[in-house]
Amino acid sequence: MSSQLTAPLSADEVAVHHVKVTKGDRAVSTVSHILLIIWSVIVVGPLLWTLVTSFKTTSEIFSSPFALPKKIQWKNFSNAWTTAGIGDYFINTVIVVFSALILVMVFGAMSAYVLARLRFYGNKVIYVLFLAGNTFPIFLAVVPLFFTLKNMGLLNTRPGLIITYVAFALPFTVFFLYAFFKTLPNEIYEAAEIDGAGEWQTFFLVMLPMAKPGFASVAIFNFLGLWNQYLIPVALNTNTSNYVLSQGLAAFAARTNYEVDFGALFASVVLTILPVLIVYIIFQRQLQGSVSQGTMK
């Protein structure tokens, strides 16, 4: 009688064979999916309603707020862009946010690298001060910032707003990138040093590309935070020609209470949200991959 030989199962395969899905597991999975569906409806529902409402006339918004528009009103977006000045606010926001983002990422990465890789007197103290900056509420610094920028001649200017954005985003950037630079292997740094690379070459050509996962993550987080910033520009940027989107949208909403152009108001909201959604859709995989790589380090 012939016998059939089979290869022994590995430990992982044995564990899989012994795993049984219980009723409790199914219940937890079902409840989790239901809660996720409810949460998705809560988040996505208002966004879709805002998008649909942006194509309606004011009378349609009040008469049938949850119905589809009878005719798509593209003029709402043109009115928002030109009449309401959203176009100028959008350009101001792009200039301020991207300028601040570039500066904070460059200075933040350099600061985090120095604090994580180099040893010098006061290293820990400086790092703790950066950590303390993350706990400092913005509204407590508004008055000192107001007089500081006023004395420097930067009040109600875009450069003053950029500097302030950089100052408040820098502690979080240093805190986030510090852990990534800390985990990079010393052997690569020593190899670059043996090859004759200086500190600047080692940082920009070797160490910074290795910290790309953390760099990508913090760049996206900073962009979202700076784009939606409201308190700082309201307090330090009262010049209407330098308004950013958050200020312009609030001012337009206040005027709309009298002009009753709610179609253009909802179109302005869509134009404000659209860049954030585009950035998230484009960099979604990059963000998920960078966070997962950061947690595995």
Side-chain angles (χ1 to χ4, degrees), residues 100-118:
L101 186 62
I102 293 173
L103 291 175
V104 76
M105 292 308 302
V106 172
F107 292 138
M110 294 170 65
S111 301
Y113 173 78
V114 170
L115 293 174
R117 310 294 301 185
L118 304 181

Side-chain angles (χ1 to χ4, degrees), residues 105-236:
M105 292 308 302
V106 172
F107 292 138
M110 294 170 65
S111 301
Y113 173 78
V114 170
L115 293 174
R117 310 294 301 185
L118 304 181
R119 292 291 173 265
F120 56 90
Y121 182 77
N123 179 293
K124 294 296 183 181
V125 175
I126 296 176
Y127 179 65
V128 170
L129 291 175
F130 272 112
L131 292 181
N134 289 315
T135 65
F136 197 80
I138 295 179
F139 64 87
L140 292 180
V142 168
V143 175
L145 278 172
F146 179 88
F147 289 104
T148 300
L149 293 178
K150 183 178 180 181
N151 294 333
M152 296 173 61
L154 296 176
L155 189 64
N156 299 325
T157 64
R158 285 184 294 194
L161 203 56
I162 292 171
I163 294 174
T164 306
Y165 278 9
V166 171
F168 274 95
L170 194 59
F172 171 75
T173 306
V174 172
F175 167 74
F176 200 101
L177 294 179
Y178 178 88
F180 279 86
F181 285 121
K182 194 74 173 178
T183 56
L184 297 181
N186 290 324
E187 291 78 6
I188 297 179
Y189 175 83
E190 294 172 355
E193 193 176 32
I194 293 174
D195 290 339
E199 290 292 347
W200 291 96
Q201 290 177 312
T202 302
F203 172 70
F204 283 105
L205 301 180
V206 180
M207 308 304 281
L208 187 59
M210 293 180 63
K212 181 181 177 181
F215 194 87
S217 297
V218 75
I220 295 172
F221 289 137
N222 279 332
F223 169 77
L224 297 178
L226 296 177
W227 187 270
N228 296 320
Q229 186 60 245
Y230 178 72
L231 179 59
I232 292 178
V234 165
L236 306 177

Side-chain angles (χ1 to χ4, degrees), residues 1-7:
M1 183 172 63
S2 61
S3 60
Q4 185 178 2
L5 298 178
T6 58

Side-chain angles (χ1 to χ4, degrees), residues 241-261:
S241 62
N242 293 329
Y243 269 12
V244 295
L245 274 174
S246 56
Q247 291 177 280
L249 190 60
F252 183 41
R255 295 199 305 269
T256 304
N257 290 333
Y258 302 97
E259 297 177 2
V260 199
D261 191 2

Side-chain angles (χ1 to χ4, degrees), residues 213 217 284-294 296:
S217 297
Q284 180 182 9
R285 292 184 178 275
Q286 180 68 31
L287 178 60
Q288 293 174 348
S290 61
V291 172
S292 62
Q293 291 182 42
M296 290 188 295

